[in-house]
Amino acid sequence: MADPRGFLKVRERQTQPRRPVPVRIMDFAEVYERQQKGTLHEQASRCMDCGIPFCHQGCPLGNLIPEWNDLVYKDRMGEAADRLHATNNFPEFTGRLCPAPCEASCVLGINQPAVTIKQVEVEIADQAFDDGNVEPVLPQRHTDRTIAVVGSGPAGLAAAQQLTRAGHTVAVFERDDAVGGLLRYGIPDFKMEKSVLDRRLDQMKAEGTRFRTNVEVGKDISWAQLRRRYDAVVVTTGSTVPRDLAIPGRELDGVHFAMEYLVQSNRAVAGQEVPEQISAEGKHVVILGGGDTGADCIGTAHRHKAASVTTLAIGQQPPSERPGHQPWPMFPTLFEVQSAHEEGGERTYLASTVEFVGENGRVTGVTVAETEFVEGRRVPKAGTERTIKADLVLLALGFTGPEPAGLEQQAGTEFDDRGNVARDGYYMTNTPGVFAAGDAGRGQSLIVWAIAEGRACAAAVDKYLMGETRLPAPVAPTDRAISML
């Protein structure tokens, strides 16, 4: 594919340029700039004729990566967009937000830096919008079936778009005032500006998908009512219950869940009034948790002009190179330097949080100790305690599962032992006609898994309603081969 000798001619992996740190922390615009056309073609040419493209199995969507790399190299961007959209409803989202497990599976990555798959993907999508090639895909026929999708994150949007294109009448219910779920109010604009989301929503509206905002299912309308009104219901509410840290001082003012902070910031950036907004301006910020949500807090705190930013992680610092127990083509756990980490702040590993300390009911510091392992458990090492100054503490410790929201009581739907909505091999819950996809069913995971499950669940719903389906089903709900759980 592409240039058969491209990987020999172009050995350097060159990713998208980033705006200079002193400039980008002054606003919330996207960090990454567009890649130059010549550089993009060179990077696409590195996709080798590997025979067995392991990047296909690395991607839960089964993206046809060698095919669209070849088309980009040949400057056939329109055709590349067609091949990309054949498997991915929202490549402009994944190209910005996905950690790219496909690149970890790239055959070239065995002994050279992997092909910049994610970069090529996002450029194909953005160029397609620039050229006006992203048009509504209207169904060839309309059915008399109606479907309610509850939750408008990537899984819900993918399921809704697929089912609309199959000819069904689809309504997406969102409890917030705008569509998008965490894409709207969880992801900072410096990672993905909301205009990127809005232009895709415009396509979905033109296709016929209906959106119902400010409607909380289970409260404003019951699940039982929804089941009576619609032929099928798809639960895509995400995994939104934050993991707490029950230690002394948790009740102090200034200790918040990360999503409280990020949602308020995103609303303010969108021009909304946010009374008593949590702000990091002039404060010493301590973030517990070293994942993507923690990195989002770092970048946001810098833009709020924090006095200092410290990230604490209870585990060891990951290695910089692929460890032996995670050989190619597995997705390795590596030390990552995201754009937010480039902007400053301190990252501390093997740090166990012992206590939040404060004065007059407000947090003033975080007591931490070194982490030691006792009988396989991570515990604070006695005698190593120290206190870090903190005016604002953000808990970015992940999520434990979906909010029940009356689903069990009103629809009789069961949850599994991990707190997720239980479902069978075809995404259906124990309640006939009620399906679950994305993080609500599989637990906290990646955006690419959410889209893949949304597409597969749509195929299952279509078959349930019509007896057969032509919609593709990329993954089964039990497929966790490269899940990052």
Side-chain angles (χ1 to χ4, degrees):
M1 305 301 290
D3 183 351
R5 300 180 62 83
F7 69 99
L8 298 174
K9 299 175 183 176
V10 184
R11 291 181 173 270
E12 181 183 2
R13 172 186 165 93
Q14 190 169 341
T15 57
Q16 292 165 284
R18 302 176 181 180
R19 294 194 294 145
V21 170
V23 175
R24 71 191 194 217
I25 62 173
M26 301 300 291
D27 58 45
F28 278 85
E30 285 191 14
V31 167
Y32 289 95
E33 298 177 333
R34 296 286 291 269
Q35 184 64 274
Q36 293 184 355
K37 186 175 181 179
T39 303
L40 186 73
H41 289 179
E42 284 186 348
Q43 292 301 306
S45 76
R46 299 181 68 240
C47 184
M48 59 194 299
D49 187 7
C50 54
I52 300 177
F54 280 82
C55 55
H56 281 198
Q57 71 85 27
C59 176
L61 285 163
N63 280 337
L64 307 173
I65 297 164
E67 295 185 28
W68 40 259
N69 272 328
D70 178 48
L71 292 167
V72 169
Y73 171 67
K74 295 174 180 176
D75 200 22
R76 294 157 60 180
M77 298 295 288
E79 295 175 66
D82 290 341
R83 301 308 292 150
L84 181 54
H85 281 108
T87 56
N88 188 351
N89 296 69
F90 315 121
E92 68 277 15
F93 301 167
T94 52
R96 287 172 166 84
L97 305 174
C98 180
C102 54
E103 294 185 6
S105 300
C106 174
V107 173
L108 184 60
I110 295 175
N111 61 355
Q112 283 191 37
V115 175
T116 55
I117 299 171
K118 179 178 173 180
Q119 169 197 317
V120 176
E121 176 183 23
V122 72
E123 189 60 34
I124 294 172
D126 286 346
Q127 190 64 49
F129 276 102
D130 290 347
D131 295 341
N133 291 332
V134 180
E135 299 179 345
V137 179
L138 302 178
Q140 295 180 348
R141 62 185 176 89
H142 288 280
T143 72
D144 60 353
R145 303 297 195 272
T146 58
I147 302 160
V149 176
V150 183
S152 65
L157 293 179
Q161 186 168 59
Q162 292 294 96
L163 289 167
T164 298
R165 291 175 175 179
H168 306 302
T169 299
V170 181
V172 178
F173 290 84
E174 170 56 54
R175 65 181 176 181
D176 278 326
D177 57 353
V179 176
L182 290 182
L183 294 171
R184 174 72 63 182
Y185 289 130
I187 302 296
D189 282 47
F190 59 79
K191 290 179 70 173
M192 189 180 82
E193 295 179 16
K194 301 308 175 278
S195 59
V196 175
L197 171 62
D198 290 334
R199 67 188 184 186
R200 184 61 75 172
L201 293 176
D202 288 341
Q203 181 202 32
M204 293 184 65
K205 292 173 184 176
E207 292 173 347
T209 301
R210 304 172 183 182
F211 294 98
R212 306 283 187 263
T213 56
N214 290 311
V215 179
E216 185 172 354
V217 178
K219 181 179 179 182
D220 299 320
I221 181 175
S222 72
W223 290 96
Q225 289 174 312
L226 212 62
R227 288 185 61 211
R228 287 195 297 268
R229 292 187 186 183
Y230 293 88
D231 296 310
V233 176
V234 181
V235 181
T236 56
T237 53
S239 178
T240 55
V241 179
R243 181 173 285 107
D244 208 343
L245 185 62
I247 59 174
R250 173 63 181 88
E251 75 286 352
L252 292 169
D253 288 341
V255 181
H256 302 275
F257 289 118
M259 291 312 302
E260 293 181 66
Y261 175 64
L262 292 174
V263 168
Q264 288 189 7
S265 177
N266 280 321
R267 288 186 177 276
V269 171
Q272 301 179 22
E273 291 188 11
V274 183
E276 300 181 0
Q277 179 185 351
I278 303 169
S279 175
E281 183 174 0
K283 296 179 180 178
H284 297 281
V285 180
V286 174
I287 301 166
L288 306 187
D292 287 341
T293 303
D296 293 345
C297 291
I298 294 172
T300 302
H302 286 142
R303 285 157 179 78
H304 285 174
K305 299 179 173 57
S308 67
V309 181
T310 303
T311 302
L312 303 178
I314 193 172
Q316 296 179 335
Q317 178 176 323
S320 299
E321 297 182 358
R322 184 187 291 273
H325 68 281
Q326 293 176 329
W328 177 90
M330 293 179 63
F331 190 90
T333 301
L334 300 175
F335 180 71
E336 185 178 11
V337 179
Q338 297 189 27
S339 63
H341 300 131
E342 297 175 339
E343 296 164 2
E346 180 181 347
R347 304 168 74 179
T348 302
Y349 290 87
L350 289 177
S352 293
T353 306
V354 177
E355 180 183 11
F356 301 122
V357 297
E359 295 178 0
N360 301 318
R362 182 158 190 87
V363 69
T364 59
V366 178
T367 300
V368 299
E370 294 180 11
T371 301
E372 65 176 349
F373 296 82
V374 178
E375 298 180 352
R377 296 175 57 247
R378 296 180 295 192
V379 297
K381 184 177 181 180
T384 63
E385 296 84 358
R386 63 188 178 96
T387 300
I388 301 173
K389 186 174 183 179
D391 306 306
L392 175 62
V393 178
L394 301 173
L395 306 182
L397 303 172
F399 303 88
T400 61
E403 300 172 40
L407 188 59
E408 187 173 14
Q409 295 79 8
Q410 298 173 10
T413 302
E414 297 176 352
F415 289 74
D416 62 22
D417 56 2
R418 299 170 61 243
N420 302 318
V421 180
R423 65 242 177 114
D424 63 16
Y426 298 94
Y427 294 90
M428 189 186 291
T429 69
N430 65 293
T431 306
V434 178
F435 298 77
D439 290 4
R442 71 178 293 110
Q444 180 186 352
S445 191
L446 308 178
I447 182 174
V448 67
W449 272 108
I451 297 173
E453 286 215 356
R455 288 171 61 89
C457 182
V461 173
D462 189 38
K463 186 174 182 179
Y464 168 77
L465 295 175
M466 307 302 293
E468 60 180 5
T469 183
R470 295 184 179 181
L471 294 175
V475 293
T478 53
D479 185 357
R480 299 178 181 270
I482 59 169
S483 174
M484 294 183 66
L485 298 178

